[in-house]
Amino acid sequence: MDKFRMMFQFLQSNQESFMNGICGIMALASAQMYSTFEFSCPCMPEYNYTYGIGLLLIPPIWFFMLGFVLNNNVSVLAEEWKRPTGERLKDPTILRYMFCSITQRSLIAPALWVSVTLMDGKSFLCAFSTNLDIEKFGNSSFIKEMSETERTRLLARIPCEDLFEHKELRVAATRYIKCISQACGWIFLLMITFTAFLIRAIRPCFTQAAFLKTKYWSHYIDIERKMFDETCKEHAKSFAKVCIHQYFENISGEMQSLHHHHSGKDGGGDEEEDKRSDEERLLGIRAQDDMNKVLWNWHTCKPALALRKDQMDDKNNSKLTGKINEAFNGFANGHTHGTEKKEWAVYYSKV
Amino acid sequence: MDRLKLVLQYFQSNSESISNGICIILALVSVKLYTSFDFNCPCLPQYNKLYSLGVMIVPPIVLFFLGVLVNRHTGVMMDEWMRPVGNRSKNPAVVKYLFSAMIQRALLAPMVWILVTLLDGKIFICAFSVSVDPGLFSGVPNNTGLDVIKILAKVPCKEDIIFRNSSFRKAVSRYVRCYSQAVGWSILLFLIVLGAMGRLIKPCFDDHATFLQTRYWSNYLDVEQKLFDETCVLHARDFARKCVVQFFEDMAEGSILHLPHPPFISNVSQRWEDEEEKLHGITKQEQMDKLLNKWYYSKPELDVTRIAHRPKPCVTWEDPGRRTLYSDV
């Protein structure tokens, strides 16, 4: 039971919690980046708007793309999208599901940056100070004598404390724009949260059965990829072991292999068992061309999602006969089996 | 039996205590959000009230939605509410219980925000400084040429120069803050009394037996969904492993390599047996799709007699002298 729990936690935690963790770290990174970033408005009418709005919009795009880059599932999605059909049909709903989940996770850091920027208010102040109606904020008689360009240039200097002399006007205008900025920020947060709420809480009303299916198969694709990598690693290890062993055998000739036979029969079971389990792990792939074919076909012609029952029945039958043999004849019979297999393997490698 | 109890307790406590933990974390997040939020009153008569009430109302709504989103019971409740009847009849009491539990937890963070707002007082001052009667206070700065309303609207802004030499601003602030804190404490008292009364009086009105049943079945639904997800994950893993091994074996040249596994390596055969068991006979894509479809459209009835009383194969190993070597009973 405990193993069951731990294994499941490991499986789940590895995939989802890891991605959630990366997501959270990126969100914190975006907040931290904003606070360490030194915002310096150019205070010139031509560049204020570009700088202010650019700082509001460009880092979120960058964080969004970074989210895609850091997400492992992107390569899984790309592979599933681009593979030839082979024996396994492609399901567009799975691709859509994977794309949606990747996008949702990548959107958190940009949303946080935009909210923090709006709540702080500096970028709005920089962008929109020239659009202010300065008369509202106090004694502004001196403005009436100015020309349009001079007026615009003066207003553009509002975000810069040291460049704008009339403190009360500046403070009042700053407060006003900051209010609007914060109001926009809260409305933005409200919209995002409401949309997420609609998606999460209302989705079960529609397509729940289809959702279960796509969730299972997209998770399956991820696991299958991991299993394939694991199997390849194990195979490579066993391949290497058997290859090296055979090389040594060939170098030292028949004597060594005969010597192994005799010592094996005396019951030095462990080494034999290891070698036999290595042979099993080879799963029948014993040549470079075969392995290349395996790896090639894995992409170009993925197998159908249908496990053969007859293979398992074969194994069952052999297990039954093997057990009956063992019960009546004891350990030696098992060795006979193994010995036969061994000789056949030696023959094969000589070819 | 003990292990089973431990597992059940873990599941039960895990679900509720995790929800409670998340609820409390969200409340702490709302306090942190309030302290880090740079409250910026516009100090203009036409915008003060709008801004303040906005800051007092919109964040609680956001926190409420967040509370509903992060709660696991939302998904369980929606699933149970929206599913077709299938083999299992629906019990509206369970849905109601889940709904009320979810709403109670989701309301904590918004209430914390509102209370912190009121006890701090900044927002009240911003909203209601223009409604104060200036005659109550001395020292109104009357040399600025602004009318009284505009002066009152500037009270929340400390750094404004018109208040430099007068105590008017501080007096008005203190007055409005008193009101704000009084309202805050009253609301807190009201909520606590409501909670206490609810706890004390509920057993008189509710049928406790029905309540026990409802609570059991809503917890059951939660555990069932978790276990279904777990089983799906394990099944996917075994399916994937077998699929990959089968693929490798298909690529191998010649049928001579389809040798059965040497049977005396007992741990290997045991492993295959375990894995086959985990697949539960589902070995094709169509079978899996049908299973997932049926799980939604026609949930099974709540009756596990068949599997609980399934006859277990008992294996006994005997040596040639018919002495028992090992028994699986």
Side-chain angles (χ1 to χ4, degrees):
Chain A
M1 263 317 197
D2 296 324
K3 262 194 198 167
F4 184 90
R5 243 338 26 240
M6 266 170 53
M7 198 163 66
F8 175 66
Q9 267 169 2
F10 170 74
L11 285 174
Q12 268 266 296
S13 66
N14 217 17
Q15 201 206 15
E16 283 192 18
S17 309
F18 181 68
M19 288 323 305
N20 289 342
I22 294 246
C23 194
I25 286 175
M26 268 185 55
L28 288 175
S30 87
Q32 185 61 27
M33 246 182 84
Y34 183 79
S35 54
T36 48
F37 176 70
E38 202 186 300
F39 188 91
S40 69
C41 196
C43 291
M44 290 193 293
E46 310 81 48
Y47 302 120
N48 269 9
Y49 186 77
T50 319
Y51 186 85
I53 298 295
L55 212 68
L56 182 67
L57 294 178
I58 293 181
I61 296 177
W62 184 79
F63 276 114
F64 183 69
M65 292 200 301
L66 188 68
F68 266 80
V69 163
L70 291 179
N71 198 334
N72 289 340
N73 286 349
V74 169
S75 54
V76 176
L77 173 67
E79 197 194 313
E80 179 65 14
W81 187 28
K82 280 315 209 180
R83 68 168 173 95
T85 309
E87 287 172 23
R88 187 187 293 181
L89 296 170
K90 290 211 259 192
D91 191 354
T93 52
I94 295 179
L95 293 171
R96 262 203 302 267
Y97 173 81
M98 287 168 77
F99 182 70
C100 281
S101 84
I102 294 173
T103 311
Q104 276 170 23
R105 287 204 168 91
S106 307
L107 277 176
I108 291 185
L112 196 69
W113 173 278
V114 170
S115 326
V116 171
T117 310
L118 288 175
M119 296 295 183
D120 196 30
K122 287 196 280 240
S123 75
F124 253 47
L125 181 65
C126 190
F128 297 116
S129 64
T130 48
N131 303 342
L132 275 179
D133 184 15
I134 198 77
E135 276 93 32
K136 275 199 297 199
F137 301 110
N139 189 10
S140 56
S141 42
F142 58 92
I143 293 221
K144 297 185 180 73
E145 298 125 23
M146 291 184 179
S147 65
E148 264 316 301
T149 41
E150 275 181 11
R151 189 195 173 102
T152 321
R153 227 178 283 153
L154 181 73
L155 288 174
R157 292 210 295 268
I158 288 178
C160 301
E161 276 185 31
D162 31 355
L163 296 180
F164 195 83
E165 314 85 40
H166 313 274
K167 190 161 176 261
E168 329 81 60
L169 274 180
R170 191 186 61 78
V171 163
T174 311
R175 258 203 304 260
Y176 177 72
I177 294 188
K178 206 165 167 185
C179 269
I180 295 183
S181 171
Q182 285 179 344
C184 289
W186 281 117
I187 291 177
F188 173 75
L189 265 182
L190 183 67
M191 264 170 28
I192 287 191
T193 326
F194 187 63
T195 315
F197 167 78
L198 279 181
I199 292 178
R200 175 92 191 265
I202 309 290
R203 192 202 24 83
C205 298
F206 318 96
T207 69
Q208 176 69 354
F211 175 71
L212 281 176
K213 193 175 97 161
T214 44
K215 194 167 79 157
Y216 178 85
W217 288 117
S218 50
H219 192 249
Y220 172 83
I221 289 174
D222 192 37
I223 283 188
E224 194 189 44
R225 193 189 199 216
K226 283 195 191 107
M227 291 266 86
F228 185 75
D229 290 338
E230 255 180 53
T231 313
C232 280
K233 275 195 204 122
E234 274 178 26
H235 187 273
K237 200 166 155 192
S238 306
F239 204 21
K241 265 193 202 167
V242 173
C243 200
I244 291 171
H245 194 90
Q246 283 179 357
Y247 173 73
F248 271 90
E249 278 184 0
N250 286 344
I251 292 285
S252 56
E254 296 295 319
M255 293 307 296
Q256 190 151 9
S257 57
L258 281 175
H259 186 65
H260 257 296
H261 270 139
H262 288 300
S263 63
K265 270 201 174 132
D266 292 339
D270 281 344
E271 210 181 284
E272 288 275 331
E273 280 186 25
D274 277 345
K275 241 202 111 240
R276 269 192 206 90
S277 65
D278 279 329
E279 292 275 352
E280 276 158 39
R281 279 194 214 117
L282 283 180
L283 299 167
I285 308 293
R286 307 175 64 91
Q288 184 184 17
D289 291 335
D290 286 344
M291 192 64 210
N292 285 342
K293 197 166 147 216
V294 164
L295 296 167
W296 185 261
N297 276 8
W298 183 252
H299 179 69
T300 52
C301 185
K302 264 207 166 65
L305 288 162
L307 300 176
R308 282 194 305 274
K309 279 216 167 80
D310 50 354
Q311 190 180 31
M312 286 194 277
D313 287 343
D314 272 350
K315 290 193 176 78
N316 275 336
N317 285 340
S318 71
K319 261 187 285 186
L320 278 173
T321 48
K323 275 185 181 147
I324 292 169
N325 281 343
E326 196 181 314
F328 285 114
N329 300 334
F331 204 43
N333 206 35
H335 270 282
T336 317
H337 271 247
T339 315
E340 278 176 301
K341 193 175 168 190
K342 180 78 192 302
E343 278 176 1
W344 169 80
V346 167
Y347 170 78
Y348 188 86
S349 74
K350 278 198 171 149
V351 172
Chain B
M1 210 42 204
D2 289 330
R3 260 196 193 162
L4 197 65
K5 265 192 212 149
L6 265 172
V7 168
L8 277 176
Q9 269 170 0
Y10 172 66
F11 268 122
Q12 182 157 48
S13 67
N14 209 20
S15 167
E16 284 196 13
S17 57
I18 280 187
S19 298
N20 289 342
I22 290 186
C23 179
I24 290 178
I25 285 176
L26 211 57
L28 291 174
V29 161
S30 89
V31 172
K32 177 80 183 137
L33 201 63
Y34 182 78
T35 50
S36 56
F37 176 62
D38 181 17
F39 182 77
N40 181 60
C41 195
C43 293
L44 296 168
Q46 56 273 41
Y47 298 119
N48 271 7
K49 220 170 221 162
L50 193 63
Y51 179 81
S52 318
L53 290 179
V55 171
M56 201 148 84
I57 292 178
V58 171
I61 297 179
V62 170
L63 288 167
F64 176 75
F65 283 142
L66 270 179
V68 169
L69 272 176
V70 303
N71 196 341
R72 216 193 121 72
H73 287 163
T74 314
V76 174
M77 182 197 78
M78 290 305 294
D79 279 344
E80 178 63 13
W81 188 28
M82 296 312 295
R83 68 169 173 96
V85 177
N87 284 342
R88 189 189 289 183
S89 60
K90 290 217 261 192
N91 186 358
V94 169
V95 177
K96 265 185 258 182
Y97 177 81
L98 285 171
F99 181 73
S100 72
M102 180 192 82
I103 292 284
Q104 277 169 27
R105 288 198 173 94
L107 279 176
L108 182 69
M111 291 317 309
V112 167
W113 174 277
I114 291 178
L115 284 172
V116 168
T117 309
L118 289 172
L119 292 176
D120 191 34
K122 280 192 298 228
I123 296 186
F124 238 55
I125 294 175
C126 187
F128 296 114
S129 64
V130 287
S131 324
V132 167
D133 177 14
L136 292 171
F137 309 99
S138 62
V140 180
N142 48 9
N143 53 351
T144 48
L146 296 169
D147 54 346
V148 181
I149 295 286
K150 284 218 177 93
I151 294 176
L152 282 174
K154 282 187 191 281
V155 161
C157 299
K158 289 189 197 131
E159 64 278 351
D160 213 305
I161 56 167
I162 63 171
F163 298 118
R164 196 157 287 167
N165 292 327
S166 89
S167 56
F168 177 72
R169 189 195 65 79
K170 285 198 190 132
V172 174
S173 300
R174 222 176 292 150
Y175 178 73
V176 181
R177 183 176 279 143
C178 274
Y179 262 104
S180 166
Q181 288 180 341
V183 172
W185 283 116
S186 315
I187 291 182
L188 188 61
L189 184 67
F190 173 70
L191 286 174
I192 291 179
V193 165
L194 196 68
M197 298 297 282
R199 264 278 169 91
L200 288 170
I201 296 184
K202 200 161 78 126
C204 302
F205 287 103
D206 265 346
D207 184 8
H208 193 63
T210 323
F211 169 72
L212 285 177
Q213 282 179 6
T214 320
R215 197 174 65 173
Y216 176 84
W217 288 116
S218 43
N219 194 48
Y220 170 83
L221 287 174
D222 189 21
V223 172
E224 192 190 49
Q225 199 185 66
K226 267 195 212 132
L227 279 174
F228 183 75
D229 289 338
E230 267 185 40
T231 313
C232 278
V233 165
L234 286 171
H235 185 273
R237 189 176 168 90
D238 289 310
F239 201 103
R241 189 175 329 159
K242 287 212 159 67
C243 201
V244 168
V245 167
Q246 194 174 279
F247 177 73
F248 268 76
E249 287 176 357
D250 282 346
M251 290 285 121
E253 277 178 1
S255 56
I256 46 170
L257 293 168
H258 279 296
L259 282 178
H261 292 293
F264 62 83
I265 297 182
S266 56
N267 57 345
V268 173
S269 59
Q270 186 61 38
R271 211 176 64 205
W272 275 111
E273 262 177 27
D274 284 344
E275 287 182 10
E276 266 174 48
E277 209 179 274
K278 280 186 202 134
L279 277 183
H280 302 291
I282 308 292
T283 54
K284 286 192 165 59
Q285 183 180 13
E286 293 81 29
Q287 286 175 337
M288 192 66 208
D289 285 344
K290 205 166 140 209
L291 183 149
L292 293 168
N293 217 32
K294 205 165 171 211
W295 181 255
Y296 177 69
Y297 280 112
S298 175
K299 267 212 166 62
E301 51 187 350
L302 291 164
D303 180 6
V304 296
T305 322
R306 201 165 35 98
I307 205 170
H309 294 147
R310 184 155 70 180
K312 244 176 59 176
C314 301
V315 182
T316 306
W317 296 85
E318 287 177 349
D319 70 354
R322 298 198 68 85
R323 272 174 301 166
T324 308
L325 291 170
Y326 172 72
S327 179
D328 201 8
V329 176

